[in-house]
Amino acid sequence: MVEQMDLPKISYYNEISLMMFGFGDSHTPNPDTVRLVESIVLKQLRIIIHEASKYSDGKKLKGEELVFLLRHNKHKMRRFVRYLMNKQSKYIFQKINLYPADLNTKPLPKSDLMEFIEKIDETGEFTDLSEIDEVKHERQLRADRISQALNEKKYLEFCKARCASFNSRDTTHRSSEKLRLWIDPKGEIIKEYKQDALDILAYFAYQTVADITDYALLVRMDRKSCTSDPLKHLPGSYYTATMFNGEHQFTGSNPDYSKVHSSQPPISVSEIKEVMRRVHSPQAGLLNFGGKVPETHYLFAL
C-alpha cells in the first residue's frame, strides 16, 4: 500500500519579511518576529474564511461574502474600494494599446465586486472617497521619511520591498494556488475558492501585515515616550486615541521613522506580543452602549 505523501510546507516568510521592511521595520527583520507575524496572519485569514462561510453555501467561497464582512468599517471599505479602482485603472491602461477605440466609445465597466458594494451601500458612505485615508497617509509619510535617509542601493531595495505582496507581480493561477494551499491545504474549511475570493484574501493578508507593523511601531514609540503619568500604560490611555480609534496626529511632532533603519533594532517578538495583548484586552473608556464587542474585533483586516 502506498503511503500518502505529506503536503509540501508552504511559507510566505520572504514576502512578509519584505513587507515589514517596506512598512517601516528594519532592513533585516527579526526571523522569529516574521514567523510570528506569519502565524498571526494565517490564523486570522482562517477565522475570516469561517466568518465568510456563514454567508455562503459552505462549498464555494465568493468574493462578495468576504467583502460583506467589511460593512461594519466604512474606512476599511473605502480603502478596499480604492484598491478595486486602482486595479481597474491598471486593467484599462493595459488595454489602451490593444483597443484604443473602445475606450472612447464604450463606458468603463464596473467590476462585479464594485457593483456588489454599491448594492449594500445604503447611505453612499462606502464609495465616498472625499475623506483622506489617515492610516494610509501616515504610512506614506513614514515611507517618505525612510526613503530620504537611504542611499541609492538601499532605496532600490526599499522600493522592491514596498511592492511585495501575497500575489506575485504577474498575478497568475500559480500564485493564487499557493495562497489557497497555504490557508487551506486540504480544503477542510471551504471546498472551492473563486479567484476573486483568493484576490481579496491576499489583500486582507497584506493589510494585516501592515497593521501589525504599524501597531508594533506605536508600541515602541509608547515605551520611549514613557512619563511619570501613572495611567500611561493602562490599555486605552494612549491607544484609544491612536491605535484603536484610528485617530492619527498630524499637528504634533512627527517621529523620525528613518531611525528604524539606521540605529534601532528590528521589531521584536515581545513588541508583536504586546500588540496582540492590547488588541485582545478591554479598552479603557470604550463606549459600546451596553453592546457586546464582536468576536471579530481583533481581526486587523476587518
Side-chain angles (χ1 to χ4, degrees), residues 70-103:
L70 287 170
R71 69 193 184 281
H72 297 304
N73 192 319
K74 66 178 181 180
H75 301 291
K76 293 189 176 182
M77 180 68 88
R78 287 172 180 171
R79 194 176 307 154
F80 181 71
V81 167
R82 286 190 175 94
Y83 164 77
L84 289 179
M85 293 175 66
N86 288 336
K87 280 189 65 175
Q88 183 72 357
S89 298
K90 181 180 178 182
Y91 171 80
I92 292 171
F93 288 143
Q94 290 174 341
K95 295 296 181 181
I96 286 178
N97 293 330
L98 296 177
Y99 309 103
D102 289 349
L103 295 176

Side-chain angles (χ1 to χ4, degrees), residues 133-296:
D133 185 339
E134 294 186 353
V135 173
K136 188 171 182 178
H137 185 63
E138 182 84 1
R139 291 171 186 166
Q140 290 171 333
L141 286 176
R142 184 192 311 154
D144 181 66
R145 286 172 172 266
I146 291 171
S147 63
Q148 292 180 27
L150 301 177
N151 58 34
E152 183 178 357
K153 180 182 178 182
K154 287 290 179 63
Y155 176 73
L156 292 175
E157 293 175 355
F158 183 63
C159 289
K160 179 181 177 181
R162 295 267 295 158
C163 295
S165 71
F166 285 83
N167 272 332
S168 59
R169 181 175 293 274
D170 53 337
T171 309
T172 61
H173 176 71
R174 253 182 305 176
S175 62
S176 298
E177 183 66 8
K178 175 184 175 182
L179 183 67
R180 186 194 67 79
L181 290 173
W182 183 58
I183 300 172
D184 192 6
K186 298 181 180 179
E188 294 175 340
I189 307 176
I190 294 289
K191 295 298 182 183
E192 185 179 349
Y193 294 78
K194 288 195 67 177
Q195 181 60 47
D196 61 350
L198 291 170
D199 290 341
I200 295 173
L201 288 171
Y203 170 83
F204 283 170
Y206 178 86
Q207 293 297 329
T208 301
V209 175
D211 278 0
I212 292 174
T213 307
D214 286 348
Y215 297 160
L217 293 174
L218 284 175
V219 165
R220 179 171 293 181
M221 288 162 52
D222 189 34
R223 287 175 175 173
K224 290 193 172 184
S225 61
C226 181
T227 65
S228 57
D229 183 359
L231 302 179
K232 184 66 178 178
H233 294 288
L234 284 180
S237 62
Y238 177 78
Y239 286 89
T240 294
T242 56
M243 179 172 170
F244 292 107
N245 289 351
E247 297 176 6
H248 295 260
Q249 300 177 354
F250 292 96
T251 56
S253 58
N254 279 322
D256 186 0
Y257 291 110
S258 63
K259 289 182 179 178
V260 174
H261 293 260
S262 60
S263 61
Q264 293 188 25
I267 293 173
S268 66
V269 170
S270 62
E271 287 169 329
I272 300 296
K273 288 182 177 180
E274 175 64 10
V275 168
M276 300 309 295
R277 186 193 69 80
R278 297 193 187 200
V279 167
H280 286 277
S281 296
Q283 302 165 36
L286 178 65
L287 295 178
N288 57 17
F289 301 100
K292 182 180 178 183
V293 177
E295 295 180 358
T296 56

Side-chain angles (χ1 to χ4, degrees), residues 74 78 81-82 121 123-131:
K74 66 178 181 180
R78 287 172 180 171
V81 167
R82 286 190 175 94
D121 189 9
T123 61
E125 61 183 0
F126 292 160
T127 54
D128 178 12
L129 305 182
S130 59
E131 285 186 39

Side-chain angles (χ1 to χ4, degrees), residues 100-111:
D102 289 349
L103 295 176
N104 296 325
T105 59
K106 296 180 180 180
L108 299 180
K110 290 182 181 179
S111 67

